[in-house]
């Protein structure tokens, strides 16, 4: 009994340690960042489509998330993180890092511009989404490879 | 003596065989009267077919801005396992483009893969899908392309190693893979599903990337739209059949929304070569996107 408990604890510790290591890897960090942006897009789209009521706080928080991620995102591609952890990053990111950074910066400026003149209703959110949303496909067209 | 006769016999048989091959597989033209049925071009429908067919995705200048997508300069490189193909100029320029082509010549290229001078075209130009297009749609597209800006750009020649640089061999490829039969048999397809089938299997040529290919570059139609390695390079093209645990989890509404906005149900975005496809699809009438979605829900899962 005691041995079993010990073994289970040891197994858990190993899994836990693995998880901690993985969570620090840039590949995992940037995937989490993209998921955050996806979540923010989803929140805005819900309002834009009228599925959720307009809520200024949610709009503000979503746009802030996008702006913050856009700033930090290009820093998550250090040498050595080209492969692994199911990364879908295209090798082109490292070949054209300046252009890649410019794409990220564009998302940041677009999100901040909308934040500065916060959309006041459903139609405003829809219009803003149209502008910001183009950044997603615009960058993924060149810099993401589906595996 | 007997040996000489035998060799002579083999040579003769070989010549007959080669002759028969060339006869069976010679570039085909449709009867000239086929194109009478096209009538006066409906330019609005021609534009719709232009978007459904994704012409600009390959024939616009590489990296062209959205407002330059109707200048069909050619020049985009398509890297494939058979060599590098370069999309030609199909602007209405009389020398660099197809401005001097008749509707019959254009139609034979679209539906039979036969060029203006009677040569086989490479199936990197997806005529094996366009073969399913109606004469009317081909005629309307021809009329619409005539209205676009001319470009004098001369696109590079295809860069293909032996034996793929021998156009005659394409006759054999066409014999195996060029037909206008439906890709899948749909038992109880209503009109919407059939319209979707036409768009997906014909002008939309979705199967050219979304269906895996065999060693000769023909589509494995028993794996219709099941996805596979990206024929243009890295990564994979997704399975878009209604497979459980995958694309089957998308509702028809999710598919329509994706084609219109470029966002998946969980707000991942369109990427890679699909970005330009989705931009084209977004310009179609909504009922076309709905028909495509209905068809994708109706095909066999893989």
């Amino acid at each position: 009994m005691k041995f079993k408990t010990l073994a289970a604890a040891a197994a858990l510790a190993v899994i836990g340690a693995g998880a901690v290591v993985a969570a620090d890897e840039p590949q995992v960090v940037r995937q989490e960042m993209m998921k955050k942006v996806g979540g923010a897009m989803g929140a805005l789209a819900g309002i834009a489509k009228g599925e959720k009521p307009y809520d200024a706080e949610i709009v503000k928080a979503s746009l802030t998330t996008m702006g913050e991620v856009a700033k930090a995102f290009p820093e998550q591609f250090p040498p050595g993180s080209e492969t692994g952890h199911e990364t879908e990053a295209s090798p082109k990111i490292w070949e054209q890092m300046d252009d890649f950074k410019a794409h990220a910066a564009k998302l940041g400026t677009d999100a901040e511009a909308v934040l500065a003149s916060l959309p006041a209703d459903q139609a405003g959110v829809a219009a803003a989404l149209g502008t910001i949303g183009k950044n997603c496909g615009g960058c993924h067209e060149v810099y993401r490879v589906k595996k | 003596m007997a040996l000489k006769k035998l060799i002579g016999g083999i040579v003769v048989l070989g010549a007959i065989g080669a002759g028969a091959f060339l006869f069976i597989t010679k570039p085909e033209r449709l009867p000239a009267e086929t194109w009478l049925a096209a009538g006066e071009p409906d330019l609005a429908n021609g534009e719709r077919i232009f978007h459904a067919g994704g012409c600009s995705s390959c024939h616009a200048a590489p990296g062209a801005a959205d407002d330059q997508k109707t200048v069909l300069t050619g020049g985009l490189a398509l890297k494939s396992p058979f060599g590098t193909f370069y999309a030609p100029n199909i602007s209405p320029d009389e020398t660099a483009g197809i401005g001097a082509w008749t509707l019959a010549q254009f139609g034979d290229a679209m539906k039979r893969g036969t060029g203006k001078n009677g040569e086989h075209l490479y199936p990197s130009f997806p005529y094996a899908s366009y073969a399913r297009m109606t004469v009317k749609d081909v005629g309307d597209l021809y009329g619409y392309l005539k209205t676009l800006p001319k470009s004098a750009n001369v696109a590079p020649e295809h860069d293909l190693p032996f034996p793929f640089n021998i156009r005659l061999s394409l006759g054999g490829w066409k014999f195996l893979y060029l037909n206008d039969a439906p890709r899948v048999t749909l038992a109880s397809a209503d009109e919407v599903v059939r319209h979707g089938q036409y768009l997906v299997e014909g002008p939309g040529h979705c199967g050219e990337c979304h269906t895996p290919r065999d060693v000769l570059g023909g589509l494995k139609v028993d794996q219709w739209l099941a996805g596979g390695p990206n024929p243009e390079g890295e990564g994979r093209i997704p399975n878009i059949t209604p497979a459980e645990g995958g694309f089957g989890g998308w509702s028809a509404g999710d598919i329509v929304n994706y084609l219109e906005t470029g966002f998946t149900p969980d707000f991942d975005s369109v990427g890679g070569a699909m970005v330009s496809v989705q931009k084209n699809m977004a310009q179609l009438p909504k009922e076309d996107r709905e028909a495509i979605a209905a068809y994708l829900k109706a095909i066999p899962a893989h």
Side-chain angles (χ1 to χ4, degrees), chain B residues 115-132:
Chain B
K116 182 166 180 274
N117 302 315
E119 76 280 22
H120 285 306
L121 299 176
Y122 284 95
S124 46
F125 170 53
Y127 55 79
S129 293
Y130 295 158
R132 288 164 186 75

Side-chain angles (χ1 to χ4, degrees), chain B residues 14-26:
Chain B
I16 291 171
F21 173 82
L22 291 177
F23 179 75
I24 292 169
T25 69
K26 74 174 182 188

Side-chain angles (χ1 to χ4, degrees), chain A residues 49-106:
Chain A
K49 284 193 222 157
E51 290 164 2
K52 297 269 166 64
Y54 173 86
D55 180 332
E57 287 311 308
I58 289 180
V59 176
K60 216 184 273 177
S62 303
L63 291 166
T64 308
T65 298
M66 289 181 189
E68 284 171 359
V69 168
K71 278 206 188 79
F73 189 65
E75 308 307 321
Q76 313 305 320
F77 296 81
S81 70
E82 292 88 345
T83 55
H85 299 285
E86 300 182 320
T87 184
E88 294 180 337
S90 164
K92 290 210 178 90
I93 289 174
W94 290 271
E95 290 163 17
Q96 323 174 155
M97 186 55 90
D98 288 348
D99 182 66
F100 176 66
K101 284 184 173 166
H103 273 82
K106 173 83 173 22

Side-chain angles (χ1 to χ4, degrees), chain B residues 19 72 87 136 180 185 245 257:
Chain B
L72 305 175
K136 175 82 184 118
D180 56 8
T185 315
N257 182 61

